[in-house]
Amino acid sequence: MIKVAPSLLAADYLKIGEDIRRVAEAGADWLHFDVMDGSFVPNVSFGPEMCRRAATCGLPVDAHLMVVKPEKHIETFAAAGAKIITVHAEATVHLHRCLQQIRAAGCMAGVALNPATSHEALRYVLGDFDLALVMTVNPGFGGQKLIPACIDKVAAVRRMLDDAGLNAIVEVDGGVNLDTAPRLVAAGADMLVAGSALYGAKDVAAFIRGVRGEN
Ligand code: DX5
Ligand code: ZN
């Protein structure tokens, strides 16, 4: 079963509550919540208070921390209601400890990889995460085009998990639309983040079904 996580980054911030309810009613599985610090990525986005409000919508909040030293913010986002917390392998010196910290905070632990980072970054933490997030664009902005080379990485991550007998979620983020989704799913993705294409769709429920391959 392919799951879909709308990215709040592409919502209308003047009616964000309505935009969360809309995607929940359309059948979204998680709410993808992008946290940017202006340092790990050039952009700045949402903080913990917005997370706390978004978490009241009922969908599990999937917090994607694009921040340096994410270990400083894990308990804050867990307390703000995030159910999944994903940190970038490039953003922390102590990835293993960070993943343990996320699980100790009661959340699912995710590792994100920038486009230029090898899937091998996951090798020695296999079993310590519940989700691998393959970035298919450079993090920081919505509305970018998917980088095709990253599709091979999705397949490499899935293979690595299969070989280890693990069934962690393989999430992809960036440039997901009705055209790219089937290729990502074929490569082994089972959780698709979609921002601009989803919020820009006339019929969000049909878009979600389309991304899942149900249309
Ligand atoms: C990018 C964010 C994404 C972004 C995806 O740094 O991590 O979650 O919202 O946006 P689209 O789907 O428009 O590429
Ligand atoms: Zn994201």
Side-chain angles (χ1 to χ4, degrees):
M1 173 74 177
I2 306 305
K3 299 204 161 125
V4 182
S7 171
L8 206 53
L9 199 65
D12 179 343
Y13 302 164
L14 286 182
K15 48 184 180 79
I16 206 151
E18 193 185 318
D19 268 7
I20 296 175
R21 269 191 303 280
R22 199 152 66 83
V23 297
E25 281 164 17
D29 296 284
W30 289 355
L31 188 67
H32 188 78
F33 189 85
D34 288 306
V35 181
M36 305 180 184
D37 66 350
S39 182
F40 183 69
V41 291
N43 202 359
V44 175
S45 61
F46 313 119
E49 182 54 26
M50 179 71 93
C51 182
R52 195 179 66 72
R53 304 295 291 266
T56 63
C57 77
L59 287 177
V61 171
D62 173 26
H64 176 194
L65 304 189
M66 287 164 275
V67 305
V68 292
K69 297 196 179 155
E71 54 273 15
K72 294 201 302 196
H73 306 280
I74 288 164
E75 285 76 16
T76 305
F77 280 95
K83 290 282 179 274
I84 306 95
I85 297 182
T86 296
V87 297
H88 272 260
E90 308 86 0
T92 176
V93 175
H94 298 291
L95 179 59
H96 181 270
R97 182 187 294 156
C98 217
L99 296 173
Q100 289 181 310
Q101 198 184 332
I102 296 171
R103 284 181 169 174
C107 298
M108 284 171 68
V111 184
L113 304 176
N114 279 338
T117 302
S118 170
H119 61 282
E120 285 295 337
L122 301 175
R123 172 85 54 199
Y124 299 102
V125 288
L126 284 172
D128 298 308
F129 61 84
D130 306 290
L131 174 151
L133 173 52
V134 179
M135 288 303 303
T136 38
V137 297
N138 286 299
F141 302 95
Q144 303 178 76
K145 269 183 82 159
L146 177 137
I147 300 167
C150 297
I151 301 180
D152 293 345
K153 199 193 319 183
V154 172
V157 168
R158 177 57 75 196
R159 215 174 307 124
M160 194 183 243
L161 288 166
D162 285 351
D163 289 348
L166 297 166
N167 60 358
I169 293 166
V170 178
E171 184 174 41
V172 294
D173 186 7
V176 173
N177 55 40
L178 291 174
D179 175 49
T180 56
R183 290 187 274 151
L184 294 161
V185 169
D190 51 8
M191 173 65 73
L192 304 180
V193 175
S196 51
L198 182 143
Y199 274 104
K202 269 202 201 82
D203 182 343
V204 175
F207 178 90
I208 290 175
R209 285 196 304 274
V211 162
R212 289 194 184 124
E214 290 171 358
N215 274 352

